[in-house]
Amino acid sequence: MTTSQPPAAADTEDREHYRMLIDGTWRDAADSRRFDSVNPFDGTHWADVPLAGEADVDAAVRAARAAFDNGTWPATTPARRAQLLRRLGDLITERADDLARVQVLENGKLIREVSGQTRALAGHCYFYAGVAETMHGHTLAGSVPDMHVFTVREPIGVVAAITPWNSPLALLLWKLCPALAAGNTMVIKPSEITPVSTLLLGELITEAGFPAGVVNIVTGEGATGAALARHPGVDKIAFTGSTAVGKTIAVTAAERLARVSLELGGKSPNIIFSDADLPNAVNGVLAGVFAATGQTCMAGSRVLVQQNIYDMFAAALVERTEQIKIGDPLDPDTEMGTVACQSQHTKVLDYIAIARDEGATLLAGGKRPEDPALAKGLFVEPTVFGDVTNDMRIAREEVFGPVAVLIPFTDEAHAVEIANDTPFGLAAGVWTTDVARAHRMVRRLRAGTVWVNNYRKTNYVAPFGGFRESGLGRENGMDAVNEYTEVKTAWIDLGNRITDPFNPRA
């Protein structure tokens, strides 16, 4: 089994070449097609990867199927699974700088954020290593005499993990670690915008000693993901991405009753009450929508502000927004990087135009930066709109860019009404010094995560997922294990005789 990529060749543009991981070997696409990875900061085509077709997807699924059906992985002892996950965590720590840098080259996210995020991934490996060793069922107190009844949790089978471009490795590990801990095998399809970082992680997976076929990686575009989702050999699809694509995957899976977990879009409210610590709330709004260039499903892009502090808060937010340093995402001093790709850049600028047409008042940003040094990059100024009502498209549709909209509210009930008036339900933020109000808001907000006096905090112990059109299922924590296991119930007769075959309770 080859544990690392072949030496990266380079063409006249110093482009790096990568291969896919299928059944423990690094391969090109069956038809030799490839596509480029483009740096959104300077437009360079810095790497290329295989464009997988249906034959490649089939080979990857067959490899995962064989590794599951022949017992290679599910029959591996929990202690051995845990050992390999811990080894993977160690390797991620050793290669964290390389993994972080490649993600920045792919999607323009800040190195100051990605570095810490990448190092934290080792914690996911260690946590689920412990889960692998402690997973258990339950002994049940049944009402039938002389019967021992218990449950066990077993892996589902082959898992297809289809991952996004905004946090490619973090959102992959949310799936990879619990799936492997439970004994599943996997085929991973990363976003076409960020394939290289996942392939580098594949090197670490093979170096850690995972058996061939347990983890496979195919790279490609939408057609590759669609071929993987509809493959009859896939037992469960774990997807993070847009609500529209998630719905399509759900329909595809329903045709064969495959399991799904879907972490989808959001239009999350970030609610500022008049008793909040305002400087802290301003920083919280910046963290919620500008720190990741707004390219996060949990972005707190609907900023609800109590009417009696609205003008003061808007002025403070605009002042701080205009101070944000835009620039090279590899520069540790940069505070906001690029949008990840050309199509997303166009989409964000289109939504800014829509907001203006709807009558929203532009308070900050709203265009590409004028600095000639940034001309090659896919930049959008951090943008704030005021005079927004919750029926405007800019308040209802996911922009996935650095655009915040300010919506006034009168009292707590009004804030809840506006916050819950959305098809989504992924996250929400509440800023208040009133502890009783904080608890009331947590109960009343229809969202999978509610932050109080903070925003965008996640951890491997804390379940994450959405209500309504923000998705199905939960990632992280012990709840994630339920997404990758089936429950089996066993009945053991301790001495009964069947006296009436037509009455199961006799």
Side-chain angles (χ1 to χ4, degrees), residues 315-364:
L317 179 64
V318 168
E319 180 181 9
R320 182 64 184 87
T321 298
E322 291 176 340
Q323 297 170 0
I324 293 174
K325 181 180 178 181
I326 308 172
D328 183 351
L330 284 171
D331 183 345
D333 293 329
T334 298
E335 294 180 320
M336 201 180 86
T338 67
V339 174
C341 63
Q342 183 61 61
S343 61
Q344 190 62 27
H345 187 257
T346 300
K347 175 185 173 183
V348 173
L349 292 176
D350 286 347
Y351 267 109
I352 289 172
I354 288 169
R356 286 178 164 179
D357 291 343
E358 289 181 314
T361 301
L362 181 65
L363 301 179

Side-chain angles (χ1 to χ4, degrees), residues 385-431:
F385 280 102
D387 300 317
V388 175
T389 58
N390 204 50
D391 59 347
M392 293 180 177
R393 287 182 63 188
I394 197 67
R396 303 199 68 78
E397 299 175 14
E398 188 175 36
V399 176
F400 224 69
V403 181
V405 300
L406 301 183
I407 303 173
F409 68 88
T410 55
D411 56 20
E412 188 176 313
H414 192 207
V416 171
E417 178 186 354
I418 296 171
N420 289 340
D421 180 18
T422 173
F424 299 106
L426 188 59
V430 177
W431 301 83

Side-chain angles (χ1 to χ4, degrees), residues 102-403:
V102 167
Q103 289 176 87
V104 175
L105 293 178
E106 291 184 304
N107 69 6
K109 202 168 184 177
L110 295 182
I111 190 68
R112 65 194 289 176
E113 177 177 355
V114 176
S115 291
Q117 186 183 66
T118 303
R119 282 179 169 76
L121 297 181
H124 290 260
C125 297
Y126 303 146
F127 176 80
Y128 284 103
V131 170
E133 293 179 304
T134 56
M135 196 179 308
H136 57 78
H138 297 281
T139 300
L140 307 177
S143 62
V144 181
D146 296 320
M147 285 286 181
H148 178 53
V149 188
F150 62 92
T151 65
V152 293
R153 286 199 168 272
E154 297 187 350
I156 294 172
V158 175
V159 174
I162 302 176
T163 57
W165 45 260
N166 55 328
S167 294
L169 294 188
L171 295 176
L172 171 56
L173 267 289
W174 286 16
K175 300 166 178 56
L176 181 81
C177 291
L180 293 181
N184 299 280
T185 58
M186 302 191 74
V187 179
I188 301 164
K189 190 276 174 187
S191 166
E192 63 269 27
I193 297 169
T194 53
V196 177
S197 53
T198 299
L199 293 173
L200 291 183
L201 183 70
E203 290 187 20
L204 305 189
I205 290 169
T206 56
E207 184 178 345
F210 286 86
V214 172
V215 179
N216 307 272
I217 303 170
V218 293
T219 53
E221 299 174 341
T224 307
L228 179 58
R230 67 173 177 262
H231 196 289
V234 169
D235 299 300
K236 187 243 168 69
I237 305 165
F239 171 77
T240 298
S242 72
T243 296
V245 175
K247 288 179 178 180
T248 299
I249 286 174
V251 170
T252 300
E255 292 177 350
R256 63 178 192 278
L257 294 181
R259 296 273 293 276
V260 294
S261 55
L262 306 171
E263 200 268 277
L264 307 177
K267 194 67 178 178
S268 300
N270 210 353
I271 306 167
I272 320 297
F273 285 98
S274 59
D275 67 333
D277 178 334
L278 291 187
N280 191 42
V282 168
N283 282 334
V285 171
L286 295 175
V289 71
F290 296 140
T293 321
Q295 297 172 120
T296 169
C297 55
M298 64 186 82
S301 55
R302 284 192 299 151
V303 184
L304 280 55
V305 185
Q306 197 154 19
Q307 186 73 62
N308 58 344
I309 62 165
Y310 180 89
D311 291 339
M312 178 173 58
F313 183 86
L317 179 64
V318 168
E319 180 181 9
R320 182 64 184 87
T321 298
E322 291 176 340
Q323 297 170 0
I324 293 174
K325 181 180 178 181
I326 308 172
D328 183 351
L330 284 171
D331 183 345
D333 293 329
T334 298
E335 294 180 320
M336 201 180 86
T338 67
V339 174
C341 63
Q342 183 61 61
S343 61
Q344 190 62 27
H345 187 257
T346 300
K347 175 185 173 183
V348 173
L349 292 176
D350 286 347
Y351 267 109
I352 289 172
I354 288 169
R356 286 178 164 179
D357 291 343
E358 289 181 314
T361 301
L362 181 65
L363 301 179
K367 62 184 188 304
R368 298 189 64 145
E370 298 175 356
D371 185 349
L374 305 179
K376 292 183 179 180
L378 299 177
F379 289 96
V380 178
E381 292 178 337
T383 299
V384 179
F385 280 102
D387 300 317
V388 175
T389 58
N390 204 50
D391 59 347
M392 293 180 177
R393 287 182 63 188
I394 197 67
R396 303 199 68 78
E397 299 175 14
E398 188 175 36
V399 176
F400 224 69
V403 181

Side-chain angles (χ1 to χ4, degrees), residues 63-75 185 212:
R65 182 87 267 159
F68 185 84
D69 288 348
N70 67 18
T72 297
W73 188 241
T185 58

Side-chain angles (χ1 to χ4, degrees), residues 389-474:
T389 58
N390 204 50
D391 59 347
M392 293 180 177
R393 287 182 63 188
I394 197 67
R396 303 199 68 78
E397 299 175 14
E398 188 175 36
V399 176
F400 224 69
V403 181
V405 300
L406 301 183
I407 303 173
F409 68 88
T410 55
D411 56 20
E412 188 176 313
H414 192 207
V416 171
E417 178 186 354
I418 296 171
N420 289 340
D421 180 18
T422 173
F424 299 106
L426 188 59
V430 177
W431 301 83
T432 180
T433 55
D434 184 332
V435 174
R437 171 185 285 151
H439 280 278
R440 289 193 301 269
M441 293 297 290
V442 167
R443 293 293 185 91
R444 297 178 69 187
L445 292 170
R446 296 285 295 164
T449 296
V450 180
W451 293 286
V452 178
N453 296 328
N454 67 93
Y455 205 91
R456 282 189 73 221
K457 302 295 184 184
T458 61
N459 189 267
Y460 47 80
V461 304
F464 186 85
F467 292 9
R468 297 180 290 196
E469 292 196 6
S470 286
L472 301 171
R474 291 294 181 268

Side-chain angles (χ1 to χ4, degrees), residues 476-499:
N476 293 337
M478 293 303 297
D479 291 74
V481 176
N482 297 339
E483 303 291 335
Y484 294 97
T485 54
E486 298 278 16
V487 177
K488 179 182 288 183
T489 302
W491 293 72
I492 298 181
D493 195 321
L494 301 181
N496 283 315
R497 301 285 296 176
I498 298 175
T499 57

